Amino acid sequence: MVRDSSERFRPSCSHRRLLTGLLIATGLGATAGCARSFQSTLTPAGPAAERVAGLWWLLFWIAVAVSAVVVAMVGWAVLRRRGPRTRVRPAGGRSFVLVLGVAVPAVVLTFVYAVGLSDMRALAEPPRPPEFTVEVVGHMWWWEVRYPDAGFTTANEIHIPVGEPVALRLTTDDVIHSFWVPELMPKMDLLPERVNETWFLADEPGTYRGQCAEYCGLQHSHMAFQVVAEPRERFDAWLAKQSRPAQEPATELAARGRTVLETTACATCHTVAGTGADGDVGPDLTHVGSRERLAAGAIPNDVGHLAGWVSNSQTVKPGNLMPPQPLSPEDLRAVVAYLQGLE
Ligand code: CUA
């Protein structure tokens, strides 16, 4: 299995905590840790990410060893100079350079290259054939997510069953983006007029943050997404719910919100399945109330943030395609109530 060979070089969690402290001291700490409170390639939760982490630790230990040797030799040279000075040229200077300057680096680099190639080969195919496919289309600056077998589209939040490989088909509607979930998989670019195929698998349930990893314009850093890995029953329930058309408004205020949404600019850009809103410019809002975050991870999905986003999203994410909506306070409250109810 892929996982076994990649754990060769990885230290235990307690050792990693110690190293995290050292790395923080050297300014590299943001990428090293054990808790899953942030995205990190060093806390892998799937076989593909395990490979990447294994390679990272191999390179880390080689760098530590090389640094230790260099520091020891510099120290030795400094101490040696304190002795009586002689003008005698040290014997074996040329072979010293050939061995430590050419032969040893060549062996180390060839070894690392071979490990890298074997990792790339292991990452090319999932451990077993995926049961279903998720299609992701990059937009400036959000992620369109399609489940072709179930026949629905969502945005910025991908649900998958734990322990099952999932096939990914990636493309873009505009510029190049890069799909990256550090704890689950290496990066894969989304290219115009081309579909890149890859896969990912989560070994443990949880919510994993993904991030666009290719500079794609003003809001590149606000182009995040979430991967929610959950047990099969919960995933099936989510799939069934997302496949249904939008929920009917539960209150009078929400009903008014639906009318506002259907009769204003919202309906020309967004889809709410089962209503008059069937635009395809912005994210599908059929089940927007079920998502944890809005605006591709930029803000939490609560009443205040949603109202601010609808009325003027340019203050949150300048440059995005949605213009400010000149709604009356009552209409804004109604639209927010309706959208919140779309679970
Ligand atoms: Cu999309 Cu950076």
Side-chain angles (χ1 to χ4, degrees):
M1 177 106 181
V2 181
R3 188 172 182 157
D4 299 332
S5 52
S6 66
E7 282 179 347
R8 295 165 291 201
F9 315 108
R10 278 203 307 124
S12 68
C13 204
S14 56
H15 286 140
R16 271 190 279 159
R17 285 214 176 86
L18 178 67
L19 281 164
T20 304
L22 291 169
L23 291 169
I24 285 169
T26 57
L28 294 169
T31 56
C34 291
R36 186 152 292 133
S37 53
F38 45 77
Q39 60 182 42
S40 168
T41 46
L42 301 186
T43 52
E50 295 266 359
R51 281 270 169 179
V52 176
L55 192 58
W56 192 95
W57 283 110
L58 170 66
L59 292 171
F60 175 81
W61 289 121
I62 289 175
V64 167
V66 169
S67 303
V69 170
V70 169
V71 167
M73 290 178 83
V74 168
W76 177 71
V78 168
L79 290 174
R80 199 163 163 267
R81 277 203 68 157
R82 293 210 177 126
R85 290 195 178 192
T86 52
R87 288 269 163 210
V88 183
R89 222 174 134 197
R94 185 190 297 251
S95 52
F96 178 83
V97 170
L98 283 177
V99 170
L100 285 185
V102 179
V104 172
V107 168
V108 170
L109 292 177
T110 307
F111 171 64
V112 170
Y113 182 61
V115 174
L117 283 183
S118 98
D119 284 342
M120 279 169 71
R121 227 173 70 160
L123 289 172
E125 294 292 337
R128 51 193 178 279
E131 262 185 47
F132 72 98
T133 300
V134 176
E135 293 175 351
V136 179
V137 183
H139 297 267
M140 292 163 80
W141 296 276
W142 59 281
W143 308 85
E144 181 182 340
V145 180
R146 300 181 192 146
Y147 286 74
D149 300 329
F152 68 85
T153 300
T154 180
N156 305 323
E157 195 173 297
I158 302 172
H159 285 236
I160 58 169
V162 178
E164 295 181 35
V166 176
L168 279 167
R169 289 168 57 83
L170 310 170
T171 189
T172 172
D173 191 39
D174 37 56
V175 299
I176 299 175
H177 305 274
S178 184
F179 187 92
W180 187 33
V181 193
E183 283 155 329
L184 299 182
M185 61 176 289
K187 298 166 189 172
M188 175 68 86
D189 279 0
L190 289 77
L191 303 173
E193 289 169 31
R194 191 196 146 100
V195 175
N196 274 345
E197 296 187 354
T198 184
W199 61 277
F200 66 171
L201 189 165
D203 281 331
E204 301 161 31
T207 299
Y208 303 95
R209 191 175 187 274
Q211 170 70 46
C212 180
E214 178 79 36
Y215 181 72
C216 54
L218 193 60
Q219 295 298 339
H220 156 72
S221 62
H222 283 151
M223 190 170 166
F225 59 99
Q226 284 180 316
V227 176
V228 181
E230 51 201 358
R232 187 73 207 196
E233 318 83 68
R234 282 187 63 179
F235 170 73
D236 284 340
W238 179 84
L239 212 59
K241 206 170 169 186
Q242 298 284 320
S243 307
R244 289 199 283 270
Q247 245 170 281
E248 287 299 312
T251 62
E252 229 169 86
L253 187 66
R256 173 176 171 168
R258 181 164 92 173
T259 309
V260 173
L261 186 124
E262 286 177 311
T263 52
T264 58
C266 310
T268 53
C269 290
H270 295 282
T271 288
V272 179
T275 73
D278 63 348
D280 60 356
V281 178
D284 188 301
L285 301 179
T286 308
H287 297 284
V288 67
S290 71
R291 294 176 209 150
E292 201 182 307
R293 299 190 73 81
L294 295 170
I299 47 174
N301 189 3
D302 56 35
V303 175
H305 286 92
L306 181 56
W309 179 257
V310 171
S311 63
N312 190 356
S313 66
Q314 298 301 320
T315 58
V316 179
K317 212 164 151 178
N320 87 80
L321 280 182
M322 186 159 90
Q325 302 301 312
L327 298 174
S328 70
E330 264 311 298
D331 283 352
L332 181 60
R333 274 189 56 219
V335 166
V336 168
Y338 177 57
L339 292 175
Q340 288 257 296
L342 295 179
E343 293 213 321

